[in-house]
Amino acid sequence: MAGVATSEQRDGVDLTNLDEPLTPEADATKRDLVDYLDAVADRLLPGLTDRPLTVLRVLRGRAPFMQKNVPKYTPDWVRTTTIWAEASHREVHYALCNDRRTLLWLANQRAVEYHPTLGLAENIYRPTHLILDLDPPGDDDFAAVVAVAHLVRQALADSGLAGAVKTSGAKGVHVFVPVDDAAPVEDVAAATRALAARTEALDPDLATTAFIVEDRAGKVFVDSTRAGGATVAAAYSPRLRPGTPVSFPLAWSDLDRVSPADFTVHTALGVLDGRDPWQDSMPAPQRLPNDLVEQGRTIPVARVAAMHEGKRRARARRTADD
């Protein structure tokens, strides 16, 4: 960082090059990012605290990249946690963004997106929330996503559960269901699969649990794979997309009246008007019903089922070619 002029300092963090655009399409400068994150810190930090954090950074002259391992130049006062990554057979040193100072430092690193684990650092495989991620078949299908979100809410109510909803900041929505610590992680994953299946059953012409994209037939994908050590964009996190939208919490009754593009680093604070709708709308942790877990145990894990199906189709194609 030597030789780079410091434009400003906040909470002991040197903030540099604040007037540079994040990307040509972002319609936001680094200052816009820093100011927004600083303003929502009290709302954003509770969802990040003590959770290993993956960030999406965008540096000048480089393609955006997801960063798990903290850089070697990370200050000593940034808390970290070390987790063994089985896939890459190495230790990963994750940041724990527990305070405003760390958030400002990450913002100065041009970390635009914030993706915490569903579990805390003490056990990332023990999710505190069950999550359903609703993904539309195209960029202009938010109305379909909203319709399926209401189906999710109905499936939750039919199961004796309640959840909170937010835009993903991209083109879909996330439904969060806080769960207590009574069920093991396998049961949380099973309940997630069962809720996805119950949502699909409410309107199979609109919703699908098909993991393979070509099998979705233009329907909204109810993704039940956010379990175990998975991450998800935090509430209030910016997203590196045109206009720099943010993942924004909503009342269920407001879903039909909004578009994800309504909430950006420029507009979100005005909509919040001093409130914290994520905290206000989040139910207390709930116990998962036994019948939901039992149903989920009979449903194959989507990624595994898709892998086997992909292999089966590949064999069938080879046989046909022969």
Side-chain angles (χ1 to χ4, degrees):
M1 304 294 289
V4 177
T6 298
S7 302
E8 194 177 323
Q9 189 179 82
R10 301 185 201 178
D11 209 357
V13 177
D14 292 339
L15 304 171
T16 58
N17 302 310
L18 290 173
D19 295 323
E20 289 187 355
L22 293 176
T23 67
E25 302 82 22
D27 189 29
T29 63
K30 184 175 170 182
R31 183 184 298 278
D32 294 326
L33 174 69
V34 171
D35 286 348
Y36 167 77
L37 289 171
D38 198 9
V40 297
D42 288 346
R43 301 174 181 87
L44 174 62
L45 286 171
L48 304 181
T49 297
D50 290 334
R51 297 177 189 270
L53 181 64
T54 299
V55 294
L56 178 66
R57 294 178 63 193
V58 54
L59 304 184
R60 288 167 293 169
R62 289 185 56 182
F65 62 98
M66 299 295 287
Q67 179 178 288
K68 297 181 178 181
N69 250 323
V70 295
K72 293 181 179 178
Y73 55 80
T74 301
D76 293 341
W77 45 262
V78 173
R79 290 189 58 194
T80 61
T81 187
T82 302
I83 296 175
W84 177 256
E86 189 60 41
S88 55
H89 298 287
R90 62 178 181 135
E91 289 185 333
V92 178
H93 303 277
Y94 288 89
L96 297 176
C97 189
N98 290 6
D99 52 52
R100 173 178 178 251
R101 190 183 188 192
T102 301
L103 182 62
L104 288 170
W105 180 80
L106 287 166
N108 191 58
Q109 300 297 307
R110 297 172 69 104
V112 178
E113 298 190 7
Y114 295 77
H115 297 254
T117 54
L118 303 188
L120 301 173
E122 61 193 27
N123 182 4
I124 63 168
Y125 299 103
R126 169 66 220 172
T128 56
H129 297 75
L130 177 160
I131 292 177
L132 290 173
D133 180 6
L134 308 185
D135 192 21
D139 289 338
D140 300 319
D141 294 316
F142 191 67
V145 174
V146 168
V148 174
H150 288 305
L151 296 179
V152 171
R153 190 185 189 196
Q154 183 63 53
L156 286 170
D158 293 345
S159 305
L161 297 170
V165 64
K166 66 183 182 70
T167 66
S168 68
K171 55 185 181 178
V173 304
H174 296 147
V175 179
F176 275 57
V177 183
V179 296
D180 65 17
D181 57 4
V185 60
E186 295 82 4
D187 287 0
V188 178
T192 308
R193 296 193 298 273
L195 281 168
R198 292 183 181 189
T199 300
E200 181 182 34
L202 287 171
D203 191 342
D205 292 330
L206 189 60
T208 180
T209 57
F211 190 80
I212 300 174
V213 174
E214 63 194 51
D215 292 346
R216 295 178 190 169
K219 303 173 188 178
V220 174
F221 175 45
V222 185
D223 186 356
S224 62
T225 63
R226 300 296 181 97
T231 65
V232 68
Y236 305 111
S237 171
R239 303 302 300 270
L240 189 62
R241 289 178 172 267
T244 317
V246 304
S247 180
F248 198 83
L250 294 167
W252 286 100
S253 58
D254 289 337
L255 266 178
D256 299 282
R257 297 194 292 269
V258 302
S259 162
D262 294 341
F263 313 106
T264 73
V265 293
H266 300 293
T267 63
L269 290 172
V271 180
L272 286 171
D273 193 25
R275 300 174 299 114
D276 185 354
W278 197 231
Q279 181 181 13
D280 295 344
S281 63
M282 189 65 66
Q286 300 152 92
R287 181 152 301 194
L288 295 173
N290 290 334
D291 68 301
L292 190 70
V293 173
E294 290 300 323
Q295 179 184 353
R297 286 174 178 162
T298 69
I299 301 172
V301 176
R303 292 183 190 276
V304 176
M307 179 184 67
H308 291 307
E309 177 61 15
K311 291 180 179 178
R312 186 196 68 77
R313 293 182 188 185
R315 286 194 301 269
R317 285 194 294 269
R318 288 195 297 270
T319 300
D321 291 342
D322 292 342

